[in-house]
Amino acid sequence: MNYSYKYPKPSVTVDCVVFGLDDAQKLKILLIQRGISPYEGKWALPGGFIKLDESIEAAAVRELKEETGIDRVFLEQLYTFGEVNRDPRDRIITIAYYALINIGEYTIQARTDARNAEWFSAKELPDLAFDHQKILGVAKQRLKGKLRYQPIGFELLPTKFTLTQLQKLYETVLEQKLDKRNFRNKILKMKLLVDIEEMQAGVSHRPAKLYQFDKNRYKELEQAGFNFEI
Amino acid sequence: MNYSYKYPKPSVTVDCVVFGLDDAQKLKILLIQRGISPYEGKWALPGGFIKLDESIEAAAVRELKEETGIDRVFLEQLYTFGEVNRDPRDRIITIAYYALINIGEYTIQARTDARNAEWFSAKELPDLAFDHQKILGVAKQRLKGKLRYQPIGFELLPTKFTLTQLQKLYETVLEQKLDKRNFRNKILKMKLLVDIEEMQAGVSHRPAKLYQFDKNRYKELEQAGFNFEI
DNA sequence: CTTGCTTAGTGTAAAATTTACACTTTGTCT
DNA sequence: AGACAAAGTGTAAATTTTACACTAAGCAAG
């Protein structure tokens, strides 16, 4: 008991909802199995306490790295949850972030407070600790809402991807079928994808062209008033 | 120094960006003049420390009431700001909210820590305390972004309003001129406004019809998959 | 009570965008 | 060589969006 204040203070944590896609372009969420009380053994979102000399986002980045090994990803603040009894220990307010990662780039490894770290299908989640189920719901909603109007889907794919992969990703997250020709026409007309003149390898059928997302071009167009929309 | 903890904790506050419209449908923001240090005498967003037995939103509601007298309004979480040095006293994280109110319904009154409370034009703001300028910028962006896709504009108008008032509100916030006929056709086709068969009074020209927003109808349509968009 | 002023209120045609839809091509595997 | 699997491609119809200008109604002033 070394830190004293004139007024009582809540504790503040960050939690991260990490989204990824599996090989079939299905949505996955990275959870850790808690190694300590409370909810020891339960699955939860990676996260932890904020240090006084780091910004909130820095804390999110640090916790992600510490608990899962993930580094340098798309990370954006989601929402702050602060119901009085959301944590049995104490009054704890948590600032939730969501991250989009290309699963292929990482080998997940559990560290620090986490007993284990694992990808779960967004459709078959285990019981979660605290109010993490609720946080996850908000994150899924946000992802769904944002995907149509911001070019963030590419964060979930490898840098080189096929149009079919991209379409499947949209279909998964938006939970609706899209027309192949219309989808291709629309996305190509934006001139945001560059045909890198390479072909998909290792498939036992006609290989697809590979494309890359041109972020700089997007920034330019955005400046000029362009609105991305699928 | 009565509260002791094993680990250091940041303080947590809430701040509210309160939007209103003046008679000419120009955007206004409610600020308070700080009566206490730091930044004594400077203008700032209404807000204050969270108590341990209230949720974050409850704190925002309470502070709004305490500092400005405002009660029962549209209030939504905006973003959480937590740069390490955003407050000179200490490490303070603030959870920002934004509120939309019908100016006509309230007489603003300064209370508690506020020396004064006043409406400022969104275009001519004084220097603000802390990082409140930044918070305000984020709030304006959010309002602008949300107005087109959610029927929240009505919160800024009296319950009975004319189509011209509504259009002016959109023009102000979106910062673009809209076509009168197209605007009317679009909004009326949604069947979200009810013609209450009353006329505007006290104007020295042809009086306009008054309408009300039908919130229940909106909820129904939303359920059925309808997407509001101006 | 007539005239002028100010804002309310109204419809349509052209342009642009979105939708629906099916067959050919290409590479691999046997 | 043939079968298989996914890649790749264009158009016509429907819908939505845009641009645009005059008449109507009430009030005020003479």
Side-chain angles (χ1 to χ4, degrees):
Chain A
M1 292 300 180
N2 307 311
Y3 299 90
S4 294
Y5 304 105
K6 200 162 171 190
Y7 298 101
K9 297 183 178 194
S11 297
V12 182
T13 60
V14 289
D15 285 305
C16 299
V17 180
V18 183
F19 290 106
L21 285 182
D22 65 13
D23 298 328
Q25 265 70 245
K26 294 290 187 210
L27 199 62
K28 295 281 190 172
I29 289 154
L30 183 57
L31 299 176
I32 60 153
Q33 192 171 28
R34 291 179 60 82
I36 54 172
S37 177
Y39 293 104
E40 187 175 345
K42 275 252 182 184
W43 292 94
L45 299 172
F49 291 90
I50 290 184
K51 297 185 175 171
L52 288 202
D53 62 352
E54 67 186 358
S55 69
I56 309 173
E57 181 159 329
V61 169
R62 178 181 53 73
E63 287 289 348
L64 212 51
K65 177 74 179 173
E66 281 181 15
E67 295 196 339
T68 68
I70 291 174
D71 208 351
R72 273 182 296 191
V73 292
F74 173 94
L75 187 72
E76 200 169 274
Q77 192 182 300
L78 175 65
Y79 196 81
T80 298
F81 297 83
E83 291 305 313
V84 175
N85 290 308
R86 58 172 296 283
D87 192 302
R89 287 168 286 188
D90 210 349
R91 178 70 197 277
I92 301 189
I93 288 171
T94 197
I95 301 157
Y97 279 74
Y98 70 103
L100 304 181
I101 86 163
N102 164 16
I103 282 188
E105 260 182 48
Y106 295 92
T107 315
I108 299 311
Q109 34 194 296
R111 311 197 195 169
T112 56
D113 300 347
R115 183 188 290 177
N116 209 347
E118 221 170 272
W119 287 103
F120 285 83
S121 159
K123 297 279 178 196
E124 297 161 32
L125 291 167
D127 255 15
L128 298 184
F130 309 106
D131 54 355
H132 288 187
Q133 194 78 50
K134 184 177 168 189
I135 296 177
L136 222 149
V138 174
K140 280 200 267 183
Q141 236 180 284
R142 174 77 61 92
L143 177 61
K144 189 171 173 179
K146 199 139 186 165
L147 191 69
R148 295 197 50 198
Y149 304 106
Q150 306 275 161
I152 59 174
F154 307 106
E155 307 285 347
L156 291 164
L157 294 173
T159 42
K160 303 171 180 185
F161 52 85
T162 70
L163 293 182
T164 300
Q165 285 176 322
L166 187 62
Q167 182 181 341
K168 284 255 173 65
L169 147 58
Y170 273 88
E171 289 179 338
T172 295
V173 178
L174 299 181
E175 299 178 284
Q176 65 175 282
K177 273 295 227 179
L178 299 173
D179 179 88
K180 186 170 165 181
R181 277 182 286 193
N182 292 342
F183 179 82
R184 283 164 183 244
N185 288 340
K186 193 167 201 169
I187 198 96
L188 290 176
K189 202 159 58 173
M190 294 182 196
K191 306 275 185 198
L192 290 175
L193 301 187
V194 287
D195 177 349
I196 55 171
E197 318 242 317
E198 282 182 51
M199 292 299 194
Q200 191 181 27
V203 289
S204 74
H205 53 75
R206 177 174 178 181
K209 280 187 175 181
L210 293 173
Y211 291 85
Q212 274 185 345
F213 172 60
D214 186 342
K215 203 165 195 165
N216 292 332
R217 175 127 180 89
Y218 173 67
K219 296 253 186 257
E220 279 171 35
L221 289 176
E222 194 190 20
Q223 288 279 321
F226 168 76
N227 284 310
F228 181 90
E229 180 176 349
I230 289 293
Chain B
M1 292 302 179
N2 307 309
Y3 298 91
S4 295
Y5 304 103
K6 199 163 173 189
Y7 298 101
K9 297 185 179 194
S11 297
V12 182
T13 60
V14 289
D15 285 305
C16 299
V17 180
V18 184
F19 290 106
L21 285 183
D22 66 12
D23 296 328
Q25 264 72 244
K26 293 291 187 215
L27 199 61
K28 296 280 191 172
I29 289 154
L30 183 59
L31 299 177
I32 59 153
Q33 193 172 27
R34 291 180 59 83
I36 55 170
S37 177
Y39 293 104
E40 187 175 346
K42 274 251 184 184
W43 292 94
L45 299 172
F49 291 90
I50 290 184
K51 297 185 175 171
L52 289 202
D53 61 353
E54 67 185 358
S55 70
I56 310 173
E57 181 160 329
V61 169
R62 178 180 53 74
E63 288 288 347
L64 213 51
K65 177 74 179 174
E66 280 181 16
E67 296 196 337
T68 67
I70 291 173
D71 208 351
R72 272 181 297 189
V73 292
F74 174 95
L75 188 73
E76 200 168 275
Q77 192 181 302
L78 176 65
Y79 195 81
T80 298
F81 297 83
E83 290 307 312
V84 174
N85 290 308
R86 56 173 297 282
D87 192 301
R89 287 169 286 189
D90 210 350
R91 178 71 197 279
I92 301 190
I93 288 171
T94 196
I95 301 157
Y97 279 74
Y98 69 105
L100 304 180
I101 85 162
N102 164 18
I103 282 190
E105 259 183 49
Y106 296 92
T107 313
I108 299 311
Q109 33 194 297
R111 312 198 195 168
T112 56
D113 299 348
R115 182 188 292 177
N116 209 347
E118 223 170 90
W119 288 102
F120 285 83
S121 159
K123 297 279 177 195
E124 296 160 35
L125 290 167
D127 256 16
L128 298 184
F130 308 106
D131 56 354
H132 288 186
Q133 194 79 48
K134 184 176 167 191
I135 296 176
L136 223 149
V138 174
K140 281 200 266 185
Q141 235 179 284
R142 174 76 63 91
L143 177 60
K144 189 171 172 178
K146 198 137 187 167
L147 191 69
R148 295 196 52 200
Y149 302 106
Q150 306 275 161
I152 60 173
F154 307 106
E155 307 285 346
L156 290 164
L157 294 174
T159 41
K160 302 172 181 185
F161 53 85
T162 70
L163 293 182
T164 300
Q165 285 176 324
L166 187 63
Q167 183 181 341
K168 284 253 175 66
L169 146 59
Y170 272 89
E171 289 179 340
T172 295
V173 177
L174 300 180
E175 299 179 284
Q176 66 175 283
K177 272 297 228 179
L178 299 174
D179 179 88
K180 187 170 162 181
R181 277 182 286 195
N182 292 343
F183 179 81
R184 284 166 183 241
N185 288 339
K186 193 168 201 167
I187 197 94
L188 289 176
K189 202 160 59 173
M190 292 181 196
K191 306 277 184 195
L192 289 175
L193 302 187
V194 286
D195 176 351
I196 55 170
E197 316 244 317
E198 282 181 52
M199 291 299 193
Q200 192 181 27
V203 289
S204 75
H205 54 75
R206 176 174 178 180
K209 279 186 177 182
L210 292 173
Y211 290 85
Q212 275 185 346
F213 172 61
D214 187 342
K215 203 164 195 166
N216 291 332
R217 175 126 179 91
Y218 173 66
K219 297 253 184 255
E220 279 173 35
L221 289 175
E222 193 190 22
Q223 288 280 320
F226 168 76
N227 284 310
F228 181 90
E229 180 176 349
I230 287 293

